[in-house]
Amino acid sequence: MYPSTQLWPVRGLAKATVGFLVANLLAETLAAVAHYQRVTLIDAAFDIALDDLSDLEDIDFEAIADNELLVLLADLGVNATFVLAGVMFVVWLYRVRDNAEQMSTLPQRRATPWLFFGWFVPIVSFWFPKQILDDIWRASSPEGRRPGVLMMIWWILWLVTVFLGNTAARIASSDEEDAMAVRTGSLLDVATYPLVVVCGVLAIVIVRRISALQEAGKALPVDQPADV
């Protein structure tokens, strides 16, 4: 049953959330290009150095310096858009969670504060956010359907990309004077990029799908039956 149809509008929030997610993906693309360029410049410098130490003047140090600035700016862009997208996502999540509680008597397994803290608290961050989204999706569906494989693939990719991103950052920052450590960190960033894109696209699909279910639910009459 839908106990109430006095639901918060979510279409605008969904569009804003999707917009910030797209901005983050664009920033990730620029960062991947910058990190790939860093890898190629380091490889070229090592090739020259290994070939003949007397030819070190052939290394394009100006290009390396320009690339370091580009990497710095690109990484700042990734971090800024990630934070903005994350804030907007949590705001959207709070709104659709409130709607879900009105749309269905199906239980929400986690208390409201976990909509925010669930992403950061160690250990529970491995499954609390997915449970929250699963419950919202199911409550938003008139048939009480579970999200299925879509949510699972997105969640696995989220965990993998967070782990690889943190690993790349630790490697690159472990010794900033070690060109090989910097190269390894950048190479891992480039390798992770396709997974980041798929993860971001699936996040957009999830935001749009839950929002569409709730917008459709607003049009249902009070006490509209649902198969649960």
Side-chain angles (χ1 to χ4, degrees), residues 151-167:
M151 192 77 75
M152 180 60 70
I153 293 174
W154 167 74
W155 186 245
I156 291 173
L157 286 175
W158 166 258
L159 294 177
V160 169
T161 54
V162 168
F163 172 77
L164 292 178
N166 290 338
T167 300

Side-chain angles (χ1 to χ4, degrees), residues 115-166:
L115 272 67
F116 176 78
F117 293 109
W119 300 91
F120 305 104
V121 176
I123 308 301
V124 301
S125 61
F126 285 109
W127 73 89
F128 271 27
K130 181 181 180 298
Q131 284 187 338
I132 290 169
L133 281 161
D134 282 345
D135 292 345
I136 292 172
W137 182 302
R138 190 180 180 202
S140 302
S141 171
E143 300 83 11
R145 292 178 180 174
R146 299 181 183 276
V149 68
L150 173 67
M151 192 77 75
M152 180 60 70
I153 293 174
W154 167 74
W155 186 245
I156 291 173
L157 286 175
W158 166 258
L159 294 177
V160 169
T161 54
V162 168
F163 172 77
L164 292 178
N166 290 338

Side-chain angles (χ1 to χ4, degrees), residues 19-139:
F20 280 111
L21 288 171
V22 170
N24 180 249
L25 288 178
L26 293 175
E28 290 280 4
T29 301
L30 176 59
V33 171
H35 281 277
Y36 178 76
Q37 184 184 46
R38 171 192 268 177
V39 171
T40 59
L41 287 171
I42 292 176
D43 286 345
F46 270 103
D47 287 342
I48 293 173
L50 291 174
D51 184 54
D52 189 347
L53 290 176
S54 63
D55 291 336
L56 290 181
E57 64 273 11
D58 293 335
I59 297 176
D60 193 345
F61 290 104
E62 182 177 353
I64 292 175
D66 290 342
N67 172 258
E68 287 304 308
L69 178 60
L70 178 60
V71 168
L72 175 62
L73 294 176
D75 286 346
L76 286 175
V78 168
N79 293 334
T81 55
F82 180 81
V83 170
L84 291 172
V87 169
M88 187 58 64
F89 186 88
V90 171
V91 172
W92 169 83
L93 193 62
Y94 181 85
R95 182 63 58 85
V96 294
R97 163 62 176 267
D98 187 64
N99 283 348
E101 290 176 339
Q102 297 185 64
M103 294 176 71
S104 174
T105 57
L106 290 171
Q108 301 290 318
R109 286 172 286 182
R110 304 300 167 193
T112 300
W114 288 113
L115 272 67
F116 176 78
F117 293 109
W119 300 91
F120 305 104
V121 176
I123 308 301
V124 301
S125 61
F126 285 109
W127 73 89
F128 271 27
K130 181 181 180 298
Q131 284 187 338
I132 290 169
L133 281 161
D134 282 345
D135 292 345
I136 292 172
W137 182 302
R138 190 180 180 202

